[in-house]
Each structure stands twice: as C-alpha cells, then as structure tokens.
Amino acid sequence: MKNKYVFVTVMLLILMTASIALTSLYVRHERSDNGDSFQVVTSFYPMYIAAKNIIGSCDGVTLVNLSEPQTGCMHDYQLTAEDMKKLSLADVFVVNGGGIENFLADTAAQYPDLQMVYASERLNLLEDNAHAWMSIQDHMVQVQTIADGLSRTDKSHSSIYQKNCADYLEKLEVLSSRQEEIAKESDSVHAVIFHEAFAYTVRDFHLEENGSMDLDEERQVSAGEVADILAQIRGNGVKLILAEELYGKRMCETVREEMPDVRAVYLDTCVRGDYEADSYLNAMQENLNRLEEGFSYAESCTAEAEK
C-alpha cells in the first residue's frame, strides 16, 4: 500500500513537471510567432478601449482583451483556459481594480512575475463601487495611469504612449467640458438609479439621489423592494430613473405603470460594444445627450408643479 502511494506521488510530480515544461515551450513558441512583441492584456472592455487609444498603431506592441466585448462587468467572471494562455504570454496586465475583477488574487498567485497596472489606483472610489470609468473626469485619470504604467514597463515606447495619451485626453476633455455645462442646470434634479455604476453620474451631475436598486442578470427583485422604490419615487417627487436598458427596462416599465410622468433615461454603462477606438467617446456622448434631455424634462415638471 505504501509503495502505491509513493508511485502515485512520483507520477503526479512527473505530470506537474511535464505540464510546466510544456507551458514554457508553448509560451516560447507563441512569443516566437508574435515576433517577441510586447504583450498587453486588458481585463475587460473599458480598459481595452483606453489601452487601444494609448497604444495606437505602435509597432512591436500587441494588445488583446481577456474577455469578449459583450461580457459586461467582471464581478463574477471565471478565467477560461484561453484566458490563462493570454496571461501566460502577457508582459503587462491592465485592470480596473477596486473589486471589479474578482479573480485578481488568483491571477497574482499564478503569475507572480506578471506586471499589473491598476487603472483606479489614483482615484478616490465611491464606497464599494469601482465603476469609475462612468465618470469622464475619473476615466481621464485612469487613462493617464494606464499610460504611465505602460511607460514604466515598456520604456522603449514610452514617448509614443504619452503622446497618444495626451491626444486622447484632449478628446475626453471636450466631453468633460460639455458635462460640466449640463451639470450647472441639473443640481435640483431628483433621481433614482437602477445600476450602481450611475452613482458616479449622480455625483458628477450633483443630482439628488432618492433611491437605488442594482439590477443585473441575476437580480431577483422582491415585491417588498418594488413597493419601497415606488414609495421613494412618489414621496420625493422623482421624475427621472437612470437605468441600463438591458436589465432595468422591466422595472422602469413597472414604475411607469404606477406613475406615467416618471421618465426612464437609459444609459450605456460602457462595458459592451465594438472594438473601435472612439467607442467610449461615442457612448458617453450619447449618454450626455440623453441626460440633458432628461434633466430638461425633470425641470419642466418641477416648474409646472410650482405654478
């Protein structure tokens, strides 16, 4: 019996050694196929779009995203075998941080030499809420942080990263300026939010938040929660709901059945889309358009009520 255990132990060690050796060979082979380019992996969509703008068409740099563009937030994401291959080839891994990617502890343990760039490390995040890319100003800090992180790990392309970063920040600044103009007229608006990402919208536009629900694909809403949110909307004279259409539309329709004058403003959480460099800019521009229209509606309702 003892010899049996020794045999099993020896075989496991042999298999482990062979696995490590094969992985090493695979990595060397893949790096050879990629011309020993500098490998940048991003965790999910908003990090990819930011890195894409920073890297641009830089020769000798390869950018890949860990998840598919329609994955959404990474709270419950589980790494796949393909993900592990990507990370084994990576020189740097760009992540949001703050709890969005729940697999980071395991990743750090499995790839102790992998350089990590935490895009949110310079931000004061809202409590238990790391959806900082939903704030244009905060995302600008994230973009600069990513550029600085790539410059540290790939000094040969540092000047390109910083130049591309500056160009992208100029575009984001245009959006930020428009947001500030809209925000001047929105500080008296009462709203409820149906996604925690919109807490950053509430903060940046100085809105009065009168209730919230974090709705996603796994969220089961009780009758008591529905009654509570309806009471908050009715009791505070709320006219606007900020929601993500994919998961919030049914609840918004429930509210409208009870209070037809309450309007839903459906916003893009910027975690899905195509891989075009201007995708974030376009999504946030459309968000601003919808918010401006929604604020105008809420203010007209307030003015009408005051007559």
Side-chain angles (χ1 to χ4, degrees), residues 12 17 33 40-41 56 87 98 102 171 195 202 224 228 245 280 296:
L12 288 173
T17 302
D33 286 350
V40 180
V41 176
L87 289 173
N102 67 349
K171 296 178 181 180
H195 194 295
V202 167
D228 287 344
E245 187 168 9
Y280 177 86
S296 177

Side-chain angles (χ1 to χ4, degrees), residues 1-165:
M1 183 66 70
K2 182 178 179 180
N3 289 337
K4 179 181 177 181
Y5 289 140
V6 171
F7 175 77
V8 171
T9 302
V10 170
M11 289 302 298
L12 288 173
L13 287 172
I14 292 172
L15 288 172
M16 185 181 300
T17 302
S19 176
I20 294 172
L22 288 172
T23 299
S24 178
L25 286 172
Y26 169 81
V27 170
R28 286 200 296 270
H29 173 71
E30 290 294 309
R31 283 201 177 280
S32 177
D33 286 350
N34 287 319
D36 290 326
S37 66
F38 186 77
Q39 307 281 316
V40 180
V41 176
T42 52
S43 58
F44 72 130
Y45 190 69
M47 298 299 102
Y48 177 88
I49 297 301
K52 184 179 180 70
N53 280 277
I54 294 165
I55 294 169
S57 57
C58 185
D59 289 336
V61 181
T62 301
L63 172 66
V64 295
N65 197 38
L66 200 65
S67 60
E68 292 300 318
Q70 302 302 322
T71 298
C73 271
M74 305 289 282
H75 297 296
D76 300 314
Y77 187 78
Q78 300 295 320
L79 293 177
T80 66
E82 183 63 27
D83 294 334
M84 305 298 277
K85 290 180 182 179
K86 291 177 181 177
L87 289 173
S88 70
L89 295 169
D91 291 293
V92 62
F93 187 27
V94 178
V95 302
N96 184 81
I100 290 293
E101 302 97 342
N102 67 349
F103 52 79
L104 288 186
D106 291 339
T107 302
Q110 293 181 59
Y111 303 96
D113 297 327
L114 178 60
Q115 297 296 310
M116 308 275 283
V117 175
Y118 294 87
S120 299
E121 66 181 0
R122 298 173 181 170
L123 296 172
N124 292 318
L125 299 172
L126 298 179
E127 185 177 1
D128 297 325
N129 186 340
H131 296 76
W133 66 89
M134 286 302 295
S135 165
I136 298 171
Q137 293 92 340
D138 281 358
H139 192 54
M140 291 172 71
V141 176
Q142 289 187 315
V143 168
Q144 185 64 65
T145 301
I146 294 169
D148 292 345
L150 294 181
S151 296
R152 286 194 305 272
T153 54
D154 181 24
K155 292 181 174 60
S156 62
H157 296 111
S158 176
S159 61
I160 297 175
Y161 296 146
Q162 294 300 331
K163 173 62 168 61
N164 290 343
C165 175

Side-chain angles (χ1 to χ4, degrees), residues 126 129 187-203 206-213 229 232 236 238 240 242:
L126 298 179
N129 186 340
D187 57 359
S188 62
V189 172
H190 293 244
V192 299
I193 62 174
F194 284 172
H195 194 295
E196 64 178 342
F198 303 139
Y200 284 90
T201 308
V202 167
R203 184 200 66 186
H206 317 298
L207 306 180
E208 184 71 33
E209 183 184 323
N210 295 120
S212 66
M213 300 179 76
I229 202 71
Q232 291 177 67
N236 292 286
V238 172
L240 285 187
L242 307 184

Side-chain angles (χ1 to χ4, degrees), residues 271-291:
V271 295
R272 299 176 179 85
D274 58 43
Y275 275 165
E276 296 300 316
D278 286 343
S279 295
Y280 177 86
L281 296 171
N282 294 336
M284 292 303 288
Q285 180 67 62
E286 181 60 24
N287 281 350
L288 291 177
N289 293 341
R290 295 185 180 191
L291 286 166

